[in-house]
Amino acid sequence: MKKVMIIGSPGSGKSTFARRLRDKTGLPLFYLDMIWHKADRTNVTKEEFDRRMSEIVAGDEWIIDGNYSRTAEIRLRECDTVFLFDLPVEECIAGVESRIGRKREEMPWIEEAFDEEFRQYILDFPEKSLPTLRELLGKYGGTVRVTVFRTRHEADDFIENIKK
C-alpha cells in the first residue's frame, strides 16, 4: 500500500480516515479540496488542478482524499489501493453537520452553515455518484486492492490492524 485513493460521500469519514492512515503509515496525504479550493472560496482552474494532481500521482507514495469524479480515473490508473466509504446517507449528513463551525485541515475555510446544494449532493450521492465510482472500480478492480467500508467502525478497525 503505497498509492492510496480514498473516495465516498462527503461526511462519511474519508478525511478522518485519511489522516489516521497517514499517521499510521507515514504516507504523504493530499486533500483534493485543498487543491481545488482557494481560501477566498474561489477555485483554481481545471488546468491548474489537473497539473497539480498529475504531479502528485507521478510520485512514488501518496494518499489522495476526495472524489472529484472528473479525475477519478487518473488516480485509479496509478493507485494500488482504494478505500470506498459507502455509509448511509443519514450518517453522512450527520457527519457534515458535526463539522460546521470547526477548522479542518482538509478545507481552506471554516464552513459556517450547511449549504442546501451541498446537502442535496449528499442526498443524491448513492444514486448519482456512487454508480459511476463503482463502475470505475469494476474497471480497475483486478489491478487495485479495493476495500469498502459500510460503517465508520469498519474503517476504525482497519486502521487499528495496520502493522507499523
Side-chain angles (χ1 to χ4, degrees), residues 17-151:
F17 178 81
R19 280 189 295 280
R20 293 184 68 208
L21 186 63
R22 172 199 61 201
D23 294 347
K24 193 87 174 213
T25 64
L27 294 171
L29 172 58
F30 302 92
Y31 298 109
L32 294 182
D33 282 340
M34 290 296 286
I35 296 168
W36 178 244
H37 298 293
K38 296 180 184 180
D40 66 0
R41 298 181 186 242
T42 62
N43 303 320
V44 298
T45 64
K46 285 181 181 179
E47 294 78 19
E48 174 64 17
F49 181 84
D50 293 355
R51 184 192 61 73
R52 180 71 179 113
M53 193 168 41
S54 293
E55 290 172 357
I56 293 166
V57 299
D60 293 333
E61 297 181 330
W62 41 262
I63 300 168
I64 300 176
D65 167 37
N67 292 315
Y68 291 77
S69 59
R70 183 180 68 78
T71 60
E73 191 162 7
I74 295 166
R75 286 171 274 138
L76 267 169
R77 282 194 304 255
E78 300 299 327
C79 73
D80 57 38
T81 306
V82 175
F83 295 102
L84 170 62
F85 280 72
D86 186 10
L87 275 66
V89 167
E90 301 78 25
E91 288 186 46
C92 298
I93 294 289
V96 171
E97 288 173 340
S98 73
R99 67 190 192 200
I100 300 295
R102 292 186 17 218
K103 177 141 178 58
R104 301 165 25 225
E105 80 177 60
E106 70 272 14
M107 280 298 284
W109 62 74
I110 296 173
E111 293 170 299
E112 301 297 336
F114 197 161
D115 176 80
E116 282 308 311
E117 185 177 325
F118 188 46
R119 180 186 299 271
Q120 193 60 52
Y121 174 79
I122 296 168
L123 291 171
D124 293 340
F125 192 87
E127 291 81 32
K128 291 188 176 177
S129 299
L130 197 53
T132 302
L133 292 173
R134 286 191 182 284
E135 184 179 317
L136 281 172
L137 291 175
K139 184 176 177 180
Y140 290 91
T143 58
V144 174
R145 177 180 171 207
V146 178
T147 301
V148 178
F149 298 127
R150 301 205 190 298
T151 68

